């Protein structure tokens, strides 16, 4: 056994023992470091992990992800202790919108509905009508009455994907994720030219999502091999790939999960630099410390939680997404 595997085994045994002692479950988003994904009880996308949090009867939920994910777990499971191992693990996309900004739009559209992507603070969720994730944004929008104005926030690229897919007219917030927005149409075109037989799995937050559709329209990539998917749906797709290859346009942490789901497939990043520094703050040491010291407990003021709950509860009741469990 090599040294890396030995130190993983020793660390993982300590983490699992501490989790057992605390009656804790460990949830890890698909963008987490490989060690964190491998030690977690459940790995998945935002929708799948929210559902696991809502259904769990563990005393403590250790959320290996970013702040809004831990807050969403607390909104759904207020009686549980929710820990985020590093408090500074934020999200540049969630930071583009405030509750005040949403209330201003509402003032101008008194009859409008606000659809908030899960990548938002609890305060923003509390002034929204319904939340969604990338796994169910289309279904959530289709569930709303056709005669109402809709503000979709905060991700502009995801909003555009929903417009294209549903044909609904939406007001879009001009927010973006700094990691996904940088995955460029040029990179996508170059990778597709270099690997013409590969499938294309693209997260709808990506700046290149629109240009993938242009490549489709121009016949440069085949429709049957191009998929705009949440990270959870990418894992499902990977399982069906057999010995084929796929180009992945999203944060590179997902590739570990895709290779585990299908060791025979060949998975490559469209942009190997697409790394979210917030997700990577959850180091093996930080997770261990979180379990040892109970850090950092996430709280959501009860008045905000109650108002956010209705929007989040609706989100978890729509659509499906896989979760990988130990
Ligand atoms: P999903 O895992 O829900 O597709 O979301 C991606 C994301 O950007 C999380 O930050
Ligand atoms: Fe936020 Fe982007 Fe990081 Fe996801 S990848 S947590 S959207 S900054």
């Amino acid at each position: 056994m090599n040294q890396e595997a030995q130190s993983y085994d020793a660390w993982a045994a300590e983490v699992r023992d501490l989790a057992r002692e605390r009656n804790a479950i460990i949830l890890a988003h698909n963008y987490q470091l490989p060690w964190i994904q491998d030690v977690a009880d459940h790995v998945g996308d935002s929708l799948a992990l929210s559902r696991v949090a809502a259904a769990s009867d563990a005393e403590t939920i250790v959320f290996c992800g970013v702040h809004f994910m831990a807050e969403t777990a607390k909104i759904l499971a207020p009686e549980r202790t929710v820990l985020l191992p590093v408090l500074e693990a934020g999200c540049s996309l969630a930071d583009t919108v405030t509750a005040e900004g949403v209330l201003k739009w509402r003032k101008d559209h008194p009859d409008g509905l606000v659809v908030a992507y899960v990548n938002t603070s609890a305060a923003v969720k509390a002034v929204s009508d319904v939340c969604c994730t990338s796994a169910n944004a289309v279904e959530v929008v289709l569930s709303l009455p056709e005669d109402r104005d809709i503000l979709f926030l905060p991700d502009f690229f995801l909003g555009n994907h929903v417009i294209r897919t549903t044909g609904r007219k939406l007001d879009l917030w001009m927010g973006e994720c700094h990691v996904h927005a940088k995955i460029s149409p040029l990179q996508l075109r170059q990778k597709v030219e270099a690997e013409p037989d590969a499938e294309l799995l693209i997260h709808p937050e990506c700046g290149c999502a629109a240009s993938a559709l242009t490549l489709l329209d121009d016949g440069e990539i085949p429709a049957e091999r191009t998929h705009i998917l949440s990270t959870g749906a990418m894992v499902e797709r990977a399982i069906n790939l057999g010995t084929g290859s796929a180009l992945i346009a999203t944060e590179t942490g997902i590739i570990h999960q895709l290779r585990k789901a299908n060791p025979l497939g060949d998975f490559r990043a469209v942009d190997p630099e697409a790394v979210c520094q917030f997700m990577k703050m959850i180091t093996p040491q930080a997770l261990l410390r979180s379990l040892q010291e109970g850090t950092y407990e996430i709280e959501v003021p009860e008045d905000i939680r109650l108002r956010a709950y209705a929007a989040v509860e609706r989100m978890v009741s729509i659509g499906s997404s896989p979760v990988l469990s130990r």
Side-chain angles (χ1 to χ4, degrees):
M1 195 189 287
N2 69 28
Q3 212 182 348
E4 159 121 0
Q6 259 176 0
S7 36
Y8 171 79
D9 285 349
W11 168 83
E14 203 175 345
V15 166
R16 299 300 329 156
D17 284 350
L18 285 165
R20 213 170 302 114
E21 279 164 28
R22 269 191 176 269
N23 186 13
I25 53 162
I26 301 171
L27 309 186
H29 187 265
N30 288 321
Y31 297 159
Q32 288 290 293
L33 291 166
W35 277 28
I36 304 285
Q37 294 188 25
D38 291 348
V39 85
D41 293 289
H42 306 280
V43 184
D45 66 10
S46 311
L47 182 60
L49 295 179
S50 299
R51 287 194 176 132
V52 173
S56 169
D57 56 8
E59 267 170 57
T60 299
I61 297 169
V62 185
F63 215 118
C64 298
V66 293
H67 193 271
F68 75 81
M69 295 180 174
E71 260 190 348
T72 306
K74 187 70 184 175
I75 291 166
L76 286 163
E79 66 291 352
R80 313 266 169 250
T81 299
V82 176
L83 301 179
L84 179 65
V86 178
L87 213 46
E88 295 75 27
C91 169
S92 62
L93 175 57
D95 287 346
T96 64
V97 60
T98 60
E100 291 70 36
V102 180
L103 290 172
K104 191 167 171 302
W105 184 86
R106 295 204 87 120
K107 218 167 156 201
D108 297 338
H109 301 78
D111 195 36
L113 294 170
V114 175
V115 179
Y117 190 34
V118 69
N119 299 40
T120 45
S121 66
V124 166
K125 290 181 174 80
V127 292
S128 301
D129 294 289
V130 55
C131 292
C132 69
T133 75
S134 56
N136 65 7
V138 166
E139 288 99 322
V140 166
V141 167
L142 285 174
S143 75
L144 300 174
E146 283 186 26
D147 57 346
R148 304 282 291 274
D149 284 352
I150 296 174
L151 171 63
F152 187 95
L153 62 87
D155 192 77
F156 173 76
F157 296 109
L158 175 63
N160 259 315
H161 168 65
V162 174
I163 291 175
R164 276 191 311 265
T165 312
T166 63
R168 292 286 297 264
K169 193 176 156 298
L170 307 176
D171 267 7
L172 299 183
W173 197 264
M174 294 300 287
E176 61 178 30
C177 151
H178 70 294
V179 179
H180 284 93
K182 268 204 246 123
I183 305 179
S184 72
L186 181 66
Q187 280 174 316
L188 182 73
R189 189 175 282 270
Q190 285 170 343
K191 287 277 160 70
V192 168
E193 275 167 15
E195 300 199 41
D197 294 331
E199 290 214 352
L200 261 184
L201 309 187
I202 302 171
H203 195 277
E205 276 180 29
C206 288
C208 66
S211 88
L213 295 165
T214 313
L215 289 180
L216 274 179
D217 290 345
D218 296 350
E220 290 191 43
I221 52 176
E224 67 281 5
R225 288 212 299 272
T226 304
H227 308 278
I228 302 205
L229 302 169
S230 73
T231 59
M234 285 183 187
V235 175
E236 278 185 323
R237 187 77 209 157
I239 293 167
N240 295 322
L241 195 67
T243 54
S245 58
L247 293 167
I248 312 300
T250 190
E251 211 274 356
T252 57
I254 183 70
I255 291 182
H256 180 66
Q257 210 45 229
L258 300 178
R259 288 181 180 148
K260 277 179 86 168
N262 177 1
L264 300 176
D266 179 13
F267 303 100
R268 294 193 203 177
V270 168
D271 178 0
E273 313 268 285
V275 176
C276 174
Q277 72 270 37
F278 300 115
M279 287 282 179
K280 273 35 181 189
M281 283 179 178
I282 314 298
T283 58
Q285 297 79 358
L287 173 56
L288 196 59
R289 198 172 50 242
S290 176
L291 283 159
Q292 285 163 340
E293 299 175 9
T295 46
Y296 291 90
E297 205 171 328
I298 298 300
E299 299 287 359
V300 178
E302 189 60 5
D303 58 327
I304 292 185
R305 191 193 73 77
L306 285 173
R307 282 186 281 135
Y309 180 80
V312 174
E313 215 282 324
R314 209 157 155 206
M315 169 187 96
V316 291
S317 69
I318 296 178
S320 68
S321 200
V323 65
L324 209 100
S325 302
R326 286 174 75 81

